Amino acid sequence: MIAAIKRSGSNTRGLLAYLYGPGRADEHLDPHIVAGFAMLGMPDPGRDENATLTELARHLDEPVRLRNSEFGKKVTDHVWHCPVRAAPEDRYLSDAEWGEIARRIVAAAGIAPEGDDLACRWIAVRHADDHIHILATTVREDGRRPKLHDSGIRVGDECREIEKDYGLRRLKKGDRTGTRRPTQAEMHKAERLGWEQPAQEWLEDHIRAAIPHAANAEELLAYLEADGVLLQVKRGPSGDPLGYAAGRPGDLNGKREQIFHPGGRIAPDLSLPKLKNRLETVTPEEHPTARRNRPTSPWHTATDALDTLHTELTEATGDGGHEGDARTQAHIAALGELIQATAQRTPADLRAELQAAAKTFARAQRSQIRTEDRAADAVRIAARDIINTATGPDGSALAALLSAMVWATILASRWHEAKEHAHQAEAARRTLQHLQAAADHALTPTLTELQHRQPKEQARHTLASDVHAAVPDHAQRILADPSWPALATVLADAEAGGHKPHELLKEAAAQRELDTARQPARVLITRIQHTSCNPVPNRRAEASRLRTTTGARPARAAAPAPQPTASATTPGRNNRPRR
């Protein structure tokens, strides 16, 4: 059940004319009052042929007129409107049931608290089987105004209780991190102008697409202007941007003036202060030896950056503390930016799925937990590198990155579930469907090529022994996977490059648990291809890097103690130490 609170100006009779009229999008059938502040003597134009809309409006507006005459100042914007709609699959509700639902909602909103005889005047009009409209005037009988702050949250919570009490479809509880739904007027306007989406959704998509292109707030604003977004920027005395409002060209109000939406109202995480914190990244310090061994392709770099995210999300627990939660939330937000960047640079045949994944995952990027943005700088920098420097990826590099994204999204969904973030967990699960489809499509050409040149039977038998030795718990599933011949080819190629197959298998299996993998051989293919593209580790160089960065020396086996000899114990000229 959904209740959408609206402030509808000061024309009570105008709203009544709509409620009792023929309707616009849906036909209004048999409009009549099912509940009200006082049913006795209530004029109902739907049931009494002598009652008029003007009479009903005057009846509801009486406290407003009294307050206006007493204070000499007209009350504006006093009409409160709340449509309440049941789900299409819900059972039929009688007038009496809708009336009780309306009483519970006005009590929760603060319009008419239970037992308050001096509350606001209100009515609930039903003109369809599946919904009612509650209309109230927000001046109490004692002349005071009701306290409606956070009424939407309270009404939403009450709707969840109503669903449980009446056996209706159960919706998820709101957490104040969702974006505002477009109104019917905004949707009709978009349809009239030939737009595929309302202005606010269009602005959100353009701002999220611009984030990976910018390293600071000024670059973001400049990119948005170049992308056709109209901006109003608030600046401080120093000239630094403090806030912004964005508008879609052609989105005009009744006075033919451009409509602008503040960034924080477009989406809670798109206010300028929050964007500044995300954009101003710090490049992690890196030793020169590690930099030389790092793959140069931004696609490989992004996959490596996700390994840090995997570790962060794997170690995060339901009671991991505020600091761990803040780091985890930051990595999930950065994952959304990486999906967005990949969608913009991926081949055309994958772009639609990845764009849908990026749009869906936007809901999973934000929660009530504040983010420690610097914790995810490596992932954000990888996203920026893909946008600014990446050329078209080869199939194996893109497949490895998409496979890493799939696993990161699974971990994000599990973390949100553990934190009881219902909306975010659901968004992550829906994102997973798009990412898996894109990953399967990206890997198909690579699998075909690998299976064409699979090793001979004896070599495959030897590699199967490596699988049993490295991952004994999953060996049977891996060898039964239709992609096993392709995995055998990948292992043979890696062995020819100097790697040890059983070590690569252990490392790949440690990076993701295989219990939930639909096709474990495919998972191992992408991870091993990514790992084996790095040069074979140089033990001497690694030891040198360790000494330089930590000041420690690698442990050595103790040398045998020298045995004393006669010449060593006899003093003499030849026994003196040399310079």
Side-chain angles (χ1 to χ4, degrees), residues 122-465:
W122 63 274
I123 59 171
V125 177
R126 182 180 189 180
H127 55 214
D129 289 344
D130 63 347
H131 71 278
I132 60 172
H133 291 259
I134 303 174
L135 184 156
T137 51
T138 56
V139 174
R140 292 166 47 87
E141 297 286 356
D142 56 10
R144 294 184 293 122
R145 303 297 299 271
K147 296 180 180 180
L148 301 179
H149 181 66
D150 284 342
S151 60
I153 300 296
R154 297 194 299 272
V155 167
D157 293 344
E158 185 63 28
C159 285
R160 305 293 80 79
E161 294 299 319
I162 291 171
E163 292 161 358
K164 182 168 59 177
D165 295 343
Y166 284 82
L168 307 177
R169 177 186 172 186
R170 304 285 293 276
L171 300 181
K172 299 176 179 64
K173 189 175 180 179
D175 61 357
R176 307 183 71 176
T177 63
T179 56
R180 181 181 66 83
R181 293 177 178 271
T183 64
Q184 279 194 345
E186 290 171 335
M187 291 189 289
H188 291 325
K189 183 178 185 178
E191 183 179 357
R192 187 173 66 253
L193 296 175
W195 295 344
E196 294 183 357
Q197 53 188 167
Q200 184 169 312
E201 290 184 8
W202 183 88
L203 290 170
E204 181 181 358
D205 288 351
H206 277 66
I207 295 171
R208 293 196 187 281
I211 290 174
H213 292 263
N216 53 56
E218 290 288 3
E219 287 186 13
L220 177 67
L221 297 174
Y223 185 89
L224 288 173
E225 286 186 326
D227 198 29
V229 178
L230 303 178
L231 294 176
Q232 285 182 337
V233 182
K234 179 182 178 182
R235 296 185 180 274
S238 64
D240 294 335
L242 303 178
Y244 76 101
R248 180 175 185 175
D251 185 21
L252 308 178
N253 60 18
K255 299 179 180 179
R256 308 299 297 171
E257 298 170 338
Q258 177 65 46
I259 297 175
F260 288 92
H261 302 267
R265 292 188 182 177
I266 295 173
D269 59 334
L270 295 185
S271 66
L272 194 62
K274 291 183 179 180
L275 288 173
K276 279 183 176 180
N277 291 337
R278 291 162 62 179
L279 293 172
E280 295 170 0
T281 54
V282 178
T283 305
E285 293 186 4
E286 192 174 34
H287 192 273
T289 303
R291 192 180 300 115
R292 284 195 301 270
N293 292 333
R294 186 185 64 190
T296 57
S297 167
W299 305 96
H300 289 295
T301 306
T303 306
D304 288 339
L306 283 182
D307 289 342
T308 305
L309 185 149
H310 294 160
T311 302
E312 191 76 33
L313 293 181
T314 302
E315 294 177 352
T317 58
D319 54 353
H322 295 299
E323 183 178 354
D325 289 343
R327 293 176 60 86
T328 303
Q329 181 62 59
H331 278 92
I332 292 175
L335 173 61
E337 297 173 24
L338 181 58
I339 297 173
Q340 180 67 250
T342 306
Q344 296 181 42
R345 288 292 182 265
T346 200
D349 56 338
L350 298 174
R351 195 165 300 154
E353 285 286 3
L354 289 175
Q355 286 175 341
K359 186 176 180 67
T360 305
F361 196 73
R363 186 65 184 89
Q365 285 180 256
R366 56 183 182 271
S367 71
Q368 288 284 13
I369 296 175
R370 299 187 65 177
T371 60
E372 185 185 330
D373 292 295
R374 297 290 71 79
D377 279 353
V379 179
R380 287 198 168 92
I381 292 171
R384 205 170 294 159
D385 287 345
I386 286 177
I387 283 289
N388 295 323
T389 65
T391 57
D394 63 82
S396 61
L398 180 58
L401 177 58
L402 293 178
S403 178
M405 285 181 181
V406 167
W407 180 231
T409 305
I410 292 173
L411 294 175
S413 176
R414 291 177 180 176
W415 183 78
H416 279 310
E417 287 176 353
K419 293 296 176 182
E420 298 183 353
H421 300 162
H423 295 279
Q424 292 83 347
E426 175 62 25
R429 286 192 291 269
R430 289 189 286 113
T431 302
L432 189 60
Q433 298 173 4
H434 295 293
L435 288 177
Q436 285 177 331
D440 290 343
H441 187 71
L443 189 59
T444 298
T446 302
L447 287 176
T448 303
E449 186 270 335
L450 291 172
Q451 287 176 344
H452 277 318
R453 56 184 187 88
Q454 59 181 291
K456 295 182 179 180
E457 184 177 356
Q458 182 61 36
R460 290 202 307 272
H461 181 73
T462 303
L463 293 170
S465 301

Side-chain angles (χ1 to χ4, degrees), residues 499 535-539:
H499 293 274
V536 179
N538 186 322
R539 305 300 181 189

